[in-house]
């Protein structure tokens, strides 16, 4: 029986459960389950669970209940001493700083009383620590309260021997605006009080000073010694953060950096990368149209080529919004024998660097994504620079996921080479740029019988190049394993929509997403819904969701149960 399982087995089972409500139910079963499940419930109390703003607001309100448990003196009317069943703070391994900021802000919005005892409470942990929170007379008092509470929490974690393995710092402009206006707002302010970039920047600077002051403390540094995951967003204060963490962290497995001005963080970022023993995943993201620093080429070469130091362990590389001009930047890839995922997105990549990818064996590469990438103008006029990669049979034979969607680079004969060399694709996303792509597309479908997810797009730029009359034959040629279909600008009428679905003989269709061509013959999109309902009944399926949009861009998305 489950009740007789040893503690190790219970903890192994509980470690796979991510849902907070389920974990909360587990700790109420009995004392043994409580003792073994509590650390998983408290592992990540500051997480951001929902992207939907309304659901996330409810989530934040619920999360505010954590604060009086972590900080006993926070609520004067409900003082909780340290005499609790567990030292909850010892279980915390994940610290989402931006969501912690939102939780504390939400707490003060819902609890208008002040926290006069906050500084006194902190004194018992760090003599003289209150000096970190001296604010000018004009400083936003709510900001001071929020940062004081956050600092108390960091202090409690550091003094309570917590072991933080996951850290995210990614404040958004909306968070700062909400703080300053005490409500969510956009650029337009109904009260006529506009928030200038200077005000926002000044507030970010104050938050930075508080956070860095905490990170510089020896006990806080110890808190992050075993850090495995680090994510820093655009608005975050990366220079001092990276300078501190590059000397503290040696066991990072994941680094995600989103930055506008890489010249500022170049040295500490390179140092951080080189100091890792077993880095497995890195994401480096910039802003493609950001004005270039005169030394940009040299800076990006220095950062990306530093990955050579972790080539033995790196498994995933994601580059987004960068301009890779130096032709030797990707030369390190030849040493990345364990690379499994390579993603290049919204970037300029010189054709020579595509050749470096092609020259690398990459025997374990299973996912290759190249999306919205541009390259040498003189090259793309005559060929697709990605073609050299598709000629590497060692790379393509193991690919399970292939995403090639680059609107401003014609395919030329790229799909033909993919059709010749790919045999194990499960997910395949691409664009169609000319009629000669169509026969190659059918070859790809014929040779990849494990395919599950297919996404095809006809960009408006190539409308005149492609005859979409092949679409019904495509439905008939789909491998039976396909369960997700996304077609954009390839279906022009309700009748074509119906005919495609009728001729689709896959075993278990789950997702069917159609963006109709803007040049369409659709007078009543409701006919699609009526047809889908009949088709669903005939196939004895269960429709979970149906979404339609009838504006300038007609869309119909259907989701069926498994």
């Amino acid at each position: 029986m489950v009740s007789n399982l040893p503690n190790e087995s219970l903890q192994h089972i509980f470690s796979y459960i991510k849902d907070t409500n389920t974990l909360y139910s587990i700790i109420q079963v009995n004392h043994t389950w409580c003792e073994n499940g509590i650390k998983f419930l408290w592992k990540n109390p500051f997480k951001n669970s929902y992207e939907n703003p309304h659901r996330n607001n409810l989530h934040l309100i619920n999360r505010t209940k954590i604060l009086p448990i972590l900080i006993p003196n926070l609520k004067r009317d409900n003082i909780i001493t340290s005499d609790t069943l567990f030292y909850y703070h010892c279980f915390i391994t994940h610290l989402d700083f931006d969501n912690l900021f939102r939780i504390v802000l939400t707490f003060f919005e819902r609890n208008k009383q002040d926290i006069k005892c906050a500084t006194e409470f902190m004194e018992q942990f760090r003599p003289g620590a209150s000096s970190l929170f001296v604010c000018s007379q004009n400083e936003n008092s709510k900001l001071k309260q929020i940062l004081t509470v956050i600092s108390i929490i960091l202090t409690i974690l550091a003094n309570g021997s917590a072991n933080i393995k996951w850290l995210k710092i990614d404040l958004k402009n909306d968070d700062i605006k909400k703080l300053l206006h005490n409500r969510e707002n956009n650029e337009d302010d109904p009260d006529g009080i506009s928030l200038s970039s200077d005000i926002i920047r000044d507030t970010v600077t104050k938050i930075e000073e508080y956070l860095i002051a905490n990170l510089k403390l020896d006990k806080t540094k110890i808190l992050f010694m075993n850090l495995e995951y680090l994510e820093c967003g655009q608005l975050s204060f990366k220079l001092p953060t990276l300078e501190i963490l590059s000397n503290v962290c040696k066991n990072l497995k994941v680094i995600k950096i989103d930055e506008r001005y890489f010249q500022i963080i170049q040295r500490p970022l390179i140092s951080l990368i080189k100091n890792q023993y077993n880095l497995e995943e890195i994401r480096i993201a910039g802003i493609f149209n950001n004005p270039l620093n005169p030394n940009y080429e040299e800076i990006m070469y220095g950062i990306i080529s530093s990955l050579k130091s972790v080539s033995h362990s790196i498994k995933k590389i994601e580059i987004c919004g960068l301009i890779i001009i130096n032709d030797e930047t990707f030369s390190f890839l030849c040493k990345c024998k364990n690379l499994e995922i390579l993603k290049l997105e919204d970037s300029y990549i010189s054709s020579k660097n595509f050749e470096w990818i092609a020259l690398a064996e990459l025997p374990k590469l299973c996912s290759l994504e190249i999306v919205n990438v541009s390259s040498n103008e003189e090259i793309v006029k005559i060929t697709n620079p990605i073609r050299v990669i598709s000629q590497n049979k060692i790379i393509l034979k193991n690919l399970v996921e292939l995403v090639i969607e680059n609107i401003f680079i014609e395919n030329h004969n790229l799909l033909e080479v993919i059709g010749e060399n790919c045999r194990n694709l499960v997910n395949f996303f691409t664009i169609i740029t000319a009629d000669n792509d169509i026969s190659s597309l059918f070859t790809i479908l014929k040779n990849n019988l494990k395919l599950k997810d297919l996404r095809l797009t006809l960009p408006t730029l190539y409308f005149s190049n492609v005859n979409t009359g092949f679409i019904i034959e495509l439905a008939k040629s789909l491998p039976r394993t396909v369960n997700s279909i996304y077609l954009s600008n390839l279906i022009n009428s309700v009748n074509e929509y119906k005919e495609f679905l009728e001729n689709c003989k896959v075993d278990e269709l789950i997702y069917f997403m159609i963006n109709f061509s803007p040049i369409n013959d659709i007078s009543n999109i409701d006919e699609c819904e009526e047809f889908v309902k009949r088709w669903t009944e005939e196939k004895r399926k269960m429709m979970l969701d149906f979404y339609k949009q009838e504006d300038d861009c007609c869309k119909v998305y259907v989701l069926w149960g498994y």
Side-chain angles (χ1 to χ4, degrees):
M1 292 181 65
V2 176
S3 59
N4 295 326
L5 287 175
N7 292 340
E8 292 79 5
S9 298
L10 287 173
Q11 291 185 27
H12 180 75
I13 294 169
F14 297 159
S15 68
Y16 288 96
I17 300 173
K18 308 301 178 184
D19 180 64
T20 302
N21 292 330
T22 303
L23 288 169
Y24 186 71
S25 298
I26 283 172
I27 68 168
Q28 297 182 79
V29 172
N30 56 43
H31 183 71
T32 301
W33 280 44
C34 181
E35 284 189 325
N36 287 283
I38 193 69
K39 70 176 184 178
F40 300 105
L41 178 64
W42 274 85
K43 178 181 180 179
N44 188 7
F46 310 119
K47 66 181 176 182
N48 185 357
S49 298
Y50 304 107
E51 293 185 5
N52 181 292
H54 176 68
R55 293 193 71 186
N56 195 45
N57 285 338
L58 296 175
H59 162 78
L60 289 173
I61 292 171
N62 287 330
R63 292 286 167 177
T64 60
K65 300 172 185 177
I66 295 168
L67 300 183
I69 299 175
L70 285 177
I71 308 175
N73 295 46
L74 185 58
K75 292 185 69 175
R76 292 172 297 175
D77 58 341
N78 186 22
I79 296 178
I80 304 174
T81 68
S82 58
D83 186 22
T84 54
L85 185 59
F86 300 101
Y87 290 102
Y88 299 103
H89 50 274
C90 295
F91 301 134
I92 297 175
T93 60
H94 288 49
L95 182 55
D96 188 333
F97 179 83
D98 43 309
N99 211 50
L100 172 58
F101 184 91
R102 297 182 195 114
I103 290 169
V104 178
L105 175 58
T106 304
F107 177 87
F108 282 115
E109 287 177 344
R110 296 180 59 81
N111 298 272
K112 300 301 182 181
Q113 75 274 26
D114 59 10
I115 50 167
K116 294 180 180 179
C117 58
T119 304
E120 296 175 3
F121 179 75
M122 187 165 37
E123 291 275 0
Q124 62 185 293
F125 294 101
R126 295 195 313 236
S130 58
S131 62
L132 293 174
F133 308 103
V134 175
C135 304
S136 67
Q137 293 297 318
N138 296 325
E139 185 167 325
N140 186 304
S141 59
K142 179 172 287 188
L143 175 61
K144 178 181 177 180
Q145 289 179 328
I146 291 171
L147 295 177
T148 301
V149 171
I150 291 174
S151 184
I152 292 172
I153 291 172
L154 291 176
T155 305
I156 292 172
L157 294 179
N159 284 276
S161 301
N163 185 18
I164 301 299
K165 294 187 176 182
W166 192 100
L167 175 63
K168 179 183 177 183
I169 307 173
D170 188 19
L171 277 175
K172 306 295 185 184
N173 272 320
D174 286 346
D175 298 324
I176 306 302
K177 291 177 181 178
K178 185 177 180 181
L179 165 71
L180 297 175
H181 276 176
N182 195 22
R183 64 181 181 275
E184 300 219 9
N185 66 313
N186 297 316
E187 293 296 327
D188 297 325
D189 179 53
D191 296 335
I193 306 172
S194 62
L195 290 175
S196 69
S197 58
D198 289 341
I199 295 174
I200 293 175
R201 192 180 304 113
D202 181 61
T203 304
V204 171
T205 300
K206 288 184 172 70
I207 298 172
E208 174 183 354
E209 291 171 351
Y210 277 72
L211 179 62
I212 300 307
N214 279 276
L215 287 176
K216 286 182 177 179
L217 297 170
D218 289 339
K219 282 194 173 183
T220 310
K221 290 179 182 178
I222 294 173
L223 185 64
F224 298 109
M225 279 187 65
N226 295 315
L227 199 66
E228 295 180 357
Y229 179 102
L230 173 64
E231 180 176 352
C232 295
Q234 275 190 20
L235 201 61
S236 64
F237 355 94
K238 286 180 282 295
L239 176 60
T241 302
L242 295 178
E243 286 177 338
I244 294 168
L245 294 181
S246 64
N247 293 317
V248 173
C249 303
K250 308 295 181 184
N251 298 302
L252 281 170
K253 293 182 179 179
V254 179
I255 298 176
K256 295 183 179 182
I257 302 293
D258 198 338
E259 179 56 63
R260 293 172 181 265
Y261 310 107
F262 283 98
Q263 68 272 20
I264 297 175
I265 65 165
Q266 178 189 11
R267 289 185 180 180
L269 177 55
I270 291 175
S271 175
L272 181 69
I273 292 171
K274 290 185 174 181
N275 286 342
Q276 303 314 307
Y277 298 133
N278 291 291
L279 185 66
E280 295 181 357
E281 177 182 341
I282 189 162
R283 168 185 162 87
I284 303 176
I287 299 179
F288 183 76
N289 59 0
N290 207 38
L292 294 184
N293 181 280
N295 299 319
Y296 182 89
E297 179 180 346
E298 179 185 346
I299 291 166
M300 295 318 306
Y301 171 75
I303 292 173
I304 296 178
S305 63
S306 69
L307 294 175
K308 181 178 180 180
S309 63
V310 293
S311 59
H312 65 284
S313 60
I314 198 75
K315 295 181 179 180
K316 180 177 180 180
I317 298 174
E318 184 175 347
I319 291 173
C320 180
L322 302 185
I323 300 176
I324 309 300
I325 302 172
N326 188 302
D327 286 339
E328 301 297 313
T329 304
F330 284 174
S331 60
F332 76 94
L333 286 172
C334 295
K335 297 183 177 295
C336 297
K337 303 301 182 183
N338 292 305
L339 189 66
E340 298 174 0
I341 300 172
L342 177 60
K343 182 175 182 179
L344 309 175
E345 183 176 13
D346 298 330
S347 298
Y348 175 94
I349 310 291
S350 72
S351 59
K352 178 62 178 177
N353 280 299
F354 283 115
E355 293 178 17
W356 280 118
I357 299 174
L359 288 172
E361 290 187 0
L362 305 180
K364 295 185 179 180
L365 192 72
C366 59
S367 175
L368 176 63
E369 296 185 48
I370 305 177
V371 180
N372 292 333
V373 166
S374 56
S375 190
N376 305 56
E377 186 176 349
E378 69 277 9
I379 299 293
V380 300
K381 286 181 179 179
I382 57 176
T383 187
N384 191 310
I386 304 168
R387 184 179 184 276
V388 294
I389 302 175
S390 61
Q391 290 176 316
N392 185 326
K393 295 182 179 181
I394 296 177
I395 290 179
L396 263 66
K397 74 175 183 179
N398 295 320
L399 282 183
V400 174
E401 179 176 46
L402 179 60
V403 181
I404 306 290
E405 297 177 319
N406 303 285
I407 294 176
F408 298 109
I409 303 180
E410 288 190 43
N411 285 335
H412 295 285
N413 63 343
L414 174 63
L415 296 190
E416 178 184 350
V417 181
I418 291 174
E420 292 172 357
N421 295 327
C422 282
R423 293 292 187 275
N424 295 300
L425 291 179
V426 174
N427 304 324
F428 179 57
F429 304 167
T430 194
I431 64 171
I432 298 173
T433 64
D435 276 338
N436 61 5
D437 288 341
I438 297 170
S439 59
S440 301
L441 177 61
F442 281 93
T443 301
I444 293 171
L445 297 178
K446 179 181 177 181
N447 291 341
N448 291 272
L449 298 179
K450 300 177 183 177
L451 193 68
K452 290 186 177 181
D453 193 354
L454 177 66
R455 183 167 77 192
L456 301 176
T457 300
L458 172 58
T460 55
L461 184 64
Y462 304 108
F463 273 10
S464 61
N465 295 359
V466 179
N467 182 344
T468 59
F470 70 94
I471 199 67
I472 306 306
E473 191 63 33
L474 177 76
K476 298 176 183 178
S477 303
L478 292 174
R480 299 189 68 89
T481 52
V482 170
N483 58 30
S484 177
I485 303 170
Y486 174 96
L487 303 176
S488 184
N489 297 337
L490 288 166
I491 291 183
N492 304 307
S493 67
V494 172
N495 285 337
E496 278 189 353
Y497 181 92
K498 295 178 181 178
E499 195 173 353
F500 184 95
L501 200 52
E502 285 175 338
N503 285 279
C504 189
K505 305 302 181 183
V506 300
D507 291 334
E508 196 64 55
L509 190 60
I510 298 172
Y511 301 97
F512 187 49
M513 297 159 282
I514 303 297
N515 291 346
F516 287 94
S517 170
I519 307 173
N520 61 63
D521 182 24
I522 299 175
S523 57
N524 186 6
I525 201 170
D526 291 336
E527 293 181 35
C528 291
E529 183 173 7
E530 295 169 4
F531 173 77
V532 168
K533 288 179 178 178
R534 291 197 303 271
W535 186 88
T536 301
E537 290 178 2
E538 291 173 4
K539 300 295 183 180
R540 296 182 179 179
K541 296 170 69 69
M542 179 176 64
M543 187 164 63
L544 300 180
D545 194 16
F546 184 95
Y547 169 80
K548 63 183 177 182
Q549 177 179 313
E550 188 174 11
D551 294 316
D552 295 336
C553 181
C554 294
K555 301 178 180 179
V556 175
Y557 295 172
V558 188
L559 170 65
W560 289 281
Y562 291 93

